[in-house]
Amino acid sequence: MITAIIRNKENTLVLELPHSIYDIYEKLRSIGIMQSPKRIPLTDNEDEDIGVKLFSESDFGQHLLLTLNEKNTIADANMLTLVIGAASEDIKEELEQNILYDQYDSMDEVINAVRQMTQDAGPVKTVFFCPLVGNIDEGDGDMFTVGDSYLADSADEIADALMKYTANDENDMATYYNKDDGVSEKLTSAVWSVELHGDKLFGRIDCSLKEALTAEETEALRDWLTGQCSDGLGEGFEQQPIDTMDGELFVSFWNSGDDYAMMTEDEFEDHLQNTEMTIGGM
């Protein structure tokens, strides 16, 4: 889709995007670049050691490149191509036409359009959000909890690890819903992901339904999602190590603190607004 030519002094790397974020780290190291892909802008200045050029042989790829600029990074370009590649077949034709006719001015506009088009094309949707907790194992058995900014900086790695972990279930946990109630008759898909807001990363769960839930069914679904998160996302994800420069990172979608909540989309928007007001008043 897009090819990146990355140079570090006299060393050059040709990288086809999209790519696993872990592979990108390794390939960058192979030419002596130790920086995160999120720290490498899409610039190619002769007076700088590291430079990046992007190109595509297809018309679609060339128009997609117009949504990226020098403020974006290698990680951004990779994420953009991942989102395009993973888009539902129901929206791909319209999405490609929009991109070919330059309907989007930025990468964020493309990603937001994919999300909105997916929601519009599919069945009834409901979304829940929850806080995340991350712990680093330094290699000696000692664990320490990382802050929000660390999780935000590791968003790509966490998203990649989560996608790999849920791949065997086709990225869908709905098959684990075992209650005999109205939710079980309506729930067709439950997909775990992460979403960045400002400098904080949250867990996001997209649920597809045959029809809208009642208030009682919404609470039943909320309780089940919370239970899945407290069990380590199907009793396992929070035990999967995610490699970082500081050691192995372990991420959980649940914690026992009083501030934990499984929030609906409206509740989450209120939470973000209240948080901004609190910060602004400090």
Side-chain angles (χ1 to χ4, degrees):
M1 187 183 298
I2 289 177
T3 301
I5 301 177
I6 306 166
R7 63 169 178 80
N8 181 25
K9 298 178 181 178
E10 69 280 3
N11 298 317
T12 301
L13 169 67
V14 178
L15 189 64
E16 298 295 331
L17 303 178
H19 228 81
S20 163
I21 195 70
Y22 296 110
D23 290 341
I24 293 177
Y25 271 104
E26 292 302 319
K27 291 183 182 298
L28 289 175
R29 291 190 182 111
S30 72
I31 60 169
I33 298 177
M34 305 307 292
Q35 294 171 242
S36 165
K38 289 176 286 188
R39 307 296 184 192
I40 303 175
L42 303 178
T43 59
D44 188 31
N45 300 321
E46 293 183 0
D47 57 343
E48 296 181 358
D49 290 340
I50 298 175
V52 180
K53 289 183 179 179
L54 299 180
F55 75 92
S56 177
E57 296 181 350
S58 70
D59 288 342
F60 175 78
Q62 291 168 14
H63 284 271
L64 185 62
L65 286 174
L66 297 177
T67 67
L68 296 167
N69 58 53
E70 293 186 351
K71 293 182 179 180
N72 292 121
T73 65
I74 294 175
D76 289 335
N78 190 59
M79 178 60 70
L80 178 61
T81 54
L82 278 171
V83 169
I84 294 296
S88 167
E89 292 296 330
D90 294 335
I91 70 168
K92 273 192 174 179
E93 183 176 353
E94 180 182 357
L95 177 64
E96 289 177 359
Q97 289 300 310
N98 287 347
I99 290 171
L100 284 169
Y101 284 95
D102 301 323
Q103 297 298 303
Y104 310 117
D105 294 326
S106 68
M107 164 188 163
D108 288 341
E109 285 189 14
V110 176
I111 292 176
N112 289 336
V114 170
R115 175 170 294 163
Q116 187 61 54
M117 290 167 67
T118 301
Q119 291 178 350
D120 293 344
V124 177
K125 302 281 187 178
T126 187
V127 183
F128 289 85
F129 295 87
C130 65
L132 299 174
V133 173
N135 293 285
I136 288 280
D137 183 349
E138 297 182 287
D140 54 7
D142 292 332
M143 305 282 285
F144 69 90
T145 301
V146 299
D148 291 335
S149 61
Y150 193 96
L151 289 176
D153 287 342
S154 303
D156 289 342
E157 292 86 345
I158 296 170
D160 195 49
L162 183 60
M163 185 175 296
K164 289 179 178 178
Y165 179 73
T166 55
N168 290 336
D169 300 315
E170 297 183 353
N171 208 21
D172 195 336
M173 295 285 290
T175 54
Y176 293 98
Y177 195 93
N178 56 7
K179 297 181 181 180
D180 185 14
D181 58 13
V183 177
S184 65
E185 297 175 357
K186 298 177 180 180
L187 182 65
T188 60
S189 177
V191 180
W192 264 252
S193 62
V194 292
E195 184 166 305
L196 191 61
H197 286 268
D199 60 353
K200 191 167 184 178
L201 190 67
F202 293 88
R204 175 186 172 115
I205 308 169
D206 287 81
C207 300
S208 296
L209 305 148
K210 295 178 182 178
E211 57 183 274
L213 298 175
T214 65
E216 184 178 61
E217 289 167 347
T218 297
E219 292 309 309
L221 179 57
R222 188 202 304 264
D223 289 344
W224 177 76
L225 294 174
T226 302
Q228 284 295 320
C229 289
S230 68
D231 288 337
L233 186 56
E235 301 180 354
F237 178 69
E238 68 177 11
Q239 299 176 22
Q240 303 299 309
I242 302 170
D243 291 332
T244 72
M245 298 294 289
D246 302 300
E248 293 183 333
L249 172 66
F250 296 85
V251 176
S252 176
F253 280 65
W254 183 84
N255 69 78
S256 59
D258 293 336
D259 60 343
Y260 181 82
M262 180 65 64
M263 297 169 279
T264 64
E265 197 161 14
D266 288 342
E267 291 167 348
F268 183 61
E269 289 179 1
D270 290 341
H271 169 76
L272 292 178
Q273 290 177 1
N274 292 335
T275 301
E276 290 175 0
M277 290 176 61
T278 301
I279 293 174
M282 290 179 62

